[in-house]
Amino acid sequence: SHKDTIVGDVFLKGLSGGQKRRLSVALEALSSPKNFFLDEPTSGLDSESAYQLMKFLKKYVNEAKGRRVILTIHQPSSIIWSLIDNVVLLSKGHLVYQGPRQNIEEFFSHCQQPTPPNFNPADHYVSAINDDFCLHTKDPEAWAADFDAWSRGHPKESWVKEAIEDIKVAIQNIDDDKVARLEHGGRRRSSVVKLKKEIETSRWGGLTTLVELIRRYLTNLFFNPGILGTRIAMYVMLAVVIGALFWNLGYSTTYSSIQSRIALLFYCVAFFVFMSVAVLPFTVIERAIVNKEVKNGYYHPALYHAAQALASLPGTALLAFLTTLIIITMTKLNAPYWYFLNMFLALNCAEALAQLVSHVVPHFIIGMAGVAALYGLFMLLQGL
C-alpha cells in the first residue's frame, strides 16, 4: 500500500519511522546475504508490524538453504517468540542459555523456574535471569553455572550439527589466503582452510555503481526539491540585494567606482561561497546511510565521492548561472562568461569543502561552525 510513497525528508512528509525501519530491512535483504544481522528490528513497531517483519525474516530463512538471520530482540510477544528457532540468553556478559527455543522451557524447569500459566515465556525468562528486575531469582553467575551443568548432560543438538555441516560445505576447497576457525568437540581448534572461489554476490562495482549513485542523487533531488530549492531562493535573494546596491555600476568610470567593483566582487565570491554551508545538514544526515552501505561492501568510498562531485555539477552550474544572470543584468558589469566560470568553480570548491567537513564532524551544527570559521579566514586572506 506504500509502494508509491516517497521516503520523505524535513521538507516533505513520507514514510513513518516504523515504515522506514522495515524499508531498511528490505533493502539489506535485496542482496540475499547468507548471514543477516539485525539489531532490534522490531523496536518502535506496533505489534502487527513487528509480527509481519518477523514473519518476513522467517520466510527469508526458509527460502534458501544456508541462510541465517541473527538478531537481538527485546520483549517479543508470544506470537513472535513462536517464530524464533534458536535462542541465546545473556545476562551481564554471562551465557545463560544457548540452544533451540523448544528446549529452553526444559532448562528453566530443571532450574525450578518454569513459565507460569498464561504468561509470555520470553518475559518470564528475561525477568528471571536479569538481576535488574525485581523478579530475578539468581545472579547471572549462578544461572551460567546451572546452564553449564545442564548442557553437559545433553549431547549436541541436531541444529549444531547442521551448522557445522554448513560450515564444512562453505570451506570445502583450499585457498592460500583464506583462514577460518572451527569449533570441534567443545574445544577451539585453528585450521587453515582455503576457499576455492569467492562467494558471488549481486553487488555491482565500477562504472555501473558510479552511474547508479549519480542516478540516486538526482532522483533524490527530484523527489525532494526543497534541498536545492532552498539554496536557489537564498542565492537569488542575495543576488537581487547585491544587484540593487550596485545598480548600473558598470556604466560608472569614476575612481570610487573602482573601489565599488572590488567590493562587489568580494561580496559575490565571499557570500555566495559562504552560503554553501547549507549543504552540510543534508550530507551529515546521509552520512549514516553511506557508512552502512560502505561497510556492507556495496561500493567503495572513492566511488561515492566521485558520484557526489559529478552529480553536484548541475546544481552548482544552475546557482552560478542564476547569480550571474541577476548580477550582470543589474550591475551591467563586463565579461559575464568569465564571471560565470569563476563563480561555478568557486561553488564547486565550496561544495567539496562542505563534503569533507561533513565526514569529520559528529553533528552538522559543529560542521557549520567549522566551515564558517574557515570561510572567515579565507575572507581575511582573500587576494593573497
Side-chain angles (χ1 to χ4, degrees):
S1 60
H2 297 285
K3 65 178 182 178
D4 296 323
T5 304
I6 63 172
V7 176
D9 61 0
V10 294
F11 298 102
L12 296 175
K13 180 176 175 59
L15 299 178
S16 65
Q19 291 166 345
K20 289 179 181 178
R21 180 180 290 271
R22 284 179 283 167
L23 174 62
S24 66
V25 173
L27 290 174
E28 294 301 323
L30 285 176
S31 57
S32 301
K34 291 293 185 181
N35 296 300
F36 200 172
F37 292 89
L38 301 100
D39 183 20
E40 300 183 33
T42 60
S43 296
L45 301 181
D46 59 79
S47 58
E48 176 62 18
S49 297
Y51 170 68
Q52 291 296 335
L53 176 59
M54 293 296 295
K55 189 177 177 181
F56 163 76
L57 293 175
K58 184 78 171 181
K59 180 181 178 182
Y60 175 83
V61 169
N62 294 331
E63 281 183 341
K65 182 176 176 59
R67 285 181 177 178
R68 301 178 188 84
V69 172
I70 304 169
L71 56 84
T72 59
I73 188 168
H74 289 167
Q75 294 181 316
S77 64
S78 299
I79 191 170
I80 291 179
W81 176 255
S82 65
L83 296 175
I84 298 174
D85 295 322
N86 302 299
V87 180
V88 175
L89 288 180
L90 298 173
S91 181
K92 298 295 179 65
H94 296 277
L95 180 62
V96 176
Y97 179 80
Q98 176 180 271
R101 175 185 55 82
Q102 294 89 340
N103 294 353
I104 191 172
E105 181 61 28
E106 178 185 346
F107 165 66
F108 275 85
S109 298
H110 172 78
C111 298
Q112 309 302 318
Q113 291 293 324
T115 303
N118 303 321
F119 207 88
N120 184 349
D123 287 340
H124 170 67
Y125 303 145
V126 173
S127 300
I129 68 173
N130 193 332
D131 59 2
D132 292 331
F133 287 32
C134 61
L135 298 178
H136 80 279
T137 56
K138 304 177 186 178
D139 56 40
E141 293 82 359
W143 276 110
D146 287 346
F147 173 67
D148 185 61
W150 179 81
S151 60
R152 292 178 185 275
H154 292 71
K156 285 187 179 292
E157 301 290 341
S158 60
W159 70 276
V160 178
K161 297 178 181 178
E162 291 176 1
I164 294 175
E165 289 301 320
D166 288 341
I167 295 174
K168 289 180 179 178
V169 170
I171 56 175
Q172 292 177 7
N173 300 302
I174 299 182
D175 183 44
D176 290 348
D177 47 15
K178 299 294 178 182
V179 179
R181 288 191 175 272
L182 300 177
E183 183 101 4
H184 179 69
R187 295 181 301 174
R188 182 165 292 177
R189 182 181 66 185
S190 298
S191 301
V192 177
V193 293
K194 307 175 185 177
L195 296 178
K196 185 175 182 180
K197 61 181 180 178
E198 295 292 334
I199 298 175
E200 296 181 358
T201 67
S202 58
R203 297 170 185 174
W204 295 332
L207 182 61
T208 304
T209 300
L210 182 67
V211 172
E212 284 300 312
L213 288 172
I214 294 174
R215 186 186 64 83
R216 184 175 74 173
Y217 181 93
L218 297 177
T219 302
N220 191 35
L221 282 181
F222 177 78
F223 285 107
N224 300 278
I227 297 176
L228 184 60
T230 302
R231 298 187 66 193
I232 291 176
M234 293 167 54
Y235 279 71
V236 169
M237 290 174 59
L238 185 57
V240 170
V241 172
I242 293 177
L245 291 175
F246 296 94
W247 180 264
N248 288 338
L249 177 62
Y251 292 153
S252 179
T253 58
T254 63
Y255 175 76
S256 61
S257 69
I258 298 175
Q259 293 180 316
S260 297
R261 284 178 171 85
I262 296 174
L264 168 61
L265 295 176
F266 172 80
Y267 290 147
C268 290
V269 175
F271 292 150
F272 287 138
V273 168
F274 184 87
M275 286 195 301
S276 64
V277 297
V279 77
L280 266 169
F282 304 105
T283 54
V284 172
I285 291 173
E286 190 183 40
R287 183 179 61 188
I289 300 174
V290 174
N291 289 341
K292 181 185 69 173
E293 292 176 343
V294 169
K295 290 179 179 178
N296 286 341
Y298 292 163
Y299 48 79
H300 193 276
L303 284 175
Y304 168 77
H305 289 293
Q308 288 290 100
L310 294 174
S312 64
L313 292 179
T316 53
L318 177 61
L319 294 174
F321 172 76
L322 291 175
T323 54
T324 301
L325 179 65
I326 294 172
I327 290 176
I328 297 298
T329 302
M330 297 179 70
T331 62
K332 303 301 187 295
L333 291 180
N334 297 319
Y337 299 108
W338 281 110
Y339 181 92
F340 168 79
L341 179 61
N342 280 276
M343 183 57 63
F344 174 66
L345 295 176
L347 290 179
N348 278 291
C349 290
E351 291 267 339
L353 180 61
Q355 288 281 347
L356 174 63
V357 174
S358 70
H359 289 277
V360 176
V361 297
H363 196 275
F364 73 87
I365 294 179
I366 301 175
M368 295 177 73
V371 172
L374 288 174
Y375 287 156
L377 180 63
F378 296 160
M379 291 178 189
L380 292 175
L381 302 177
Q382 191 172 32
L384 296 181

